Amino acid sequence: MAFSRRSFVFVLLMVVVGLNLRPALSSIAPLLARLQETAGLSAFAAGVLTTLPVLCLGLAAPLAPLLAHRLGSERALGLSLAALATGLILRGLPLPGVLFLGTAMAGAAIGVGGTLLPALVKRELPGNADLVTGIYTMALCLGGALGAGLSIPLAELWGSWRLGLMSWSLLAIFALILWLGYMPAPAATPLASIQQQSLLQLLKKALTWQIMLYMGMQSSMAYIVFGWLPTLLIYRGYAEANAGWLMSVSIMCQIFSALGAPWLARLGRDQRPALLLMLLCTAAGLWLLLIAPLAWRWPGAVLLGLGQGGSFSLALTLLVLRTANSRLSGQLSGLVQGGGYTLASLGPLSVGLLLQAGADITHIAWLLIGLIGVCCGLAMFAGRNRQLDNEDGKLVTRKH
């Protein structure tokens, strides 16, 4: 994979931006028990707090093509970074309701930024879009791991969970400065041009729904882990810090599979074997962490991380492999991430409701494993070697 200087700068910028698109989600979970004690959050309110950014992420994702059309994809991404930094500052202020408001704003900003980047990758590096998407996903996973692992240490360092949460805005401001200084030149034709294929035509394609539902199911597992894994582990008897580090190790392991899964997917005729392997690793990791004896916690954390990192990387890879050009990639990205993340938001909320109702951890674990089984069925369709393309003004699905 050979890079020009322009491509190399773009990849570095993509990594820095990617680092910012998960700490807002993963930094809350290790502090959730503390927030329930100090801020008086009920299990339901905690569920809402973990669901809110994912829901806003999904609702905001379809706005990305509209912003790209009006501002250009590059400026729209800069605007999303500015909104992210603002939301991260807001959620730490000692004012009524701003914890939820700032969290929602950060989630919406992530939805826009995360939708724009795959289409930019398809435009800037079309020949290696799937492998570069793996690098981008690796940056997302590393950002998530930093958010989970440093959340409590930062709160202890600053002597306040509020300042600890606000400190993540510094990383977003740094990314914004770099992006404004070195972002790629605007394309002659915006990614979201007026002549775009109708979104309704995309919605009529079975392939769109297959990828969207796969994205939603696997993302639901990811955000349940981001939002509730430390709490579930604490219920099993772990200390707060140990639970946070188990989650951090799991997310760190996502880095390796996020980078390696697209390479693995290239070995076969389609992505189905790679998708199923990653989902089985996820299921095994959940079983070891939440059901098996406590001695199996570290293998469980590793397997969970490898499975989730690879599953998410392949989900983003499908957005570029299942479209013939960057314009369609941007549209599919907005639809799939919008619908998928909106569906995914039900996961953390459901876990909060189950815990408030007194559900046993083992029962919750088996429910999650069952949902992974459903996701395997979706992967068998989404992983087939198909591609959406324009033909005589119509949207068609053909073998790639």
Side-chain angles (χ1 to χ4, degrees), residues 61-63 65-66 192 196-205 208-209 212 327-328 330-336 395:
L63 299 177
L66 299 177
Q196 279 183 340
Q197 198 75 39
S198 169
L199 295 181
L200 290 177
Q201 291 189 44
L202 268 176
L203 286 172
K204 291 178 182 178
K205 294 297 178 182
T208 300
W209 288 95
M212 183 189 298
R327 180 169 55 81
L328 279 174
Q331 288 182 296
L332 185 65
S333 178
L335 280 177
V336 166
L395 188 66

Side-chain angles (χ1 to χ4, degrees), residues 182-390:
Y182 298 98
M183 65 182 178
T189 302
L191 289 177
S193 64
I194 298 175
Q195 292 78 26
Q196 279 183 340
Q197 198 75 39
S198 169
L199 295 181
L200 290 177
Q201 291 189 44
L202 268 176
L203 286 172
K204 291 178 182 178
K205 294 297 178 182
L207 182 57
T208 300
W209 288 95
Q210 291 157 6
I211 299 172
M212 183 189 298
L213 292 173
Y214 168 75
M215 170 70 85
M217 294 293 288
Q218 69 84 29
S219 294
S220 182
M221 296 298 111
Y223 292 117
I224 287 170
V225 168
F226 277 143
W228 286 107
L229 182 62
T231 302
L232 295 175
L233 293 174
I234 289 170
Y235 285 172
R236 287 210 78 193
Y238 293 102
E240 183 184 56
N242 289 336
W245 279 113
L246 273 171
M247 177 177 169
S248 181
V249 167
S250 178
I251 299 176
M252 282 294 289
C253 291
Q254 292 182 17
I255 295 170
F256 302 103
S257 57
L259 187 59
W263 293 88
L264 180 65
R266 281 192 170 193
L267 298 178
R269 290 181 298 176
D270 56 39
Q271 288 72 50
R272 285 177 291 183
L275 288 167
L276 291 177
L277 177 61
M278 295 300 105
L279 289 170
L280 290 174
C281 285
T282 302
L286 284 172
W287 186 83
L288 290 173
L289 277 172
L290 300 179
I291 299 174
L294 300 185
W296 289 96
R297 62 190 182 278
W298 293 112
V302 170
L303 279 175
L304 178 63
L306 292 176
Q308 291 199 305
S311 294
F312 183 59
S313 180
L314 290 172
L316 292 181
T317 300
L318 291 178
L319 297 178
V320 297
L321 291 180
R322 296 295 176 265
T323 49
N325 54 65
S326 63
R327 180 169 55 81
L328 279 174
S329 180
Q331 288 182 296
L332 185 65
S333 178
L335 280 177
V336 166
Q337 295 198 61
Y341 288 133
T342 302
L343 173 63
S345 69
L346 299 176
L349 180 61
S350 299
V351 171
L353 291 173
L354 287 170
L355 288 173
Q356 183 150 316
D360 184 79
I361 301 299
T362 301
H363 294 155
I364 293 176
W366 280 117
L367 176 61
L368 298 181
I369 292 171
L371 292 176
I372 292 174
V374 175
C375 198
C376 287
L378 294 167
M380 291 299 293
F381 291 98
R384 293 179 300 169
N385 205 1
R386 302 288 189 272
Q387 192 174 70
L388 296 166
D389 198 0
N390 295 310

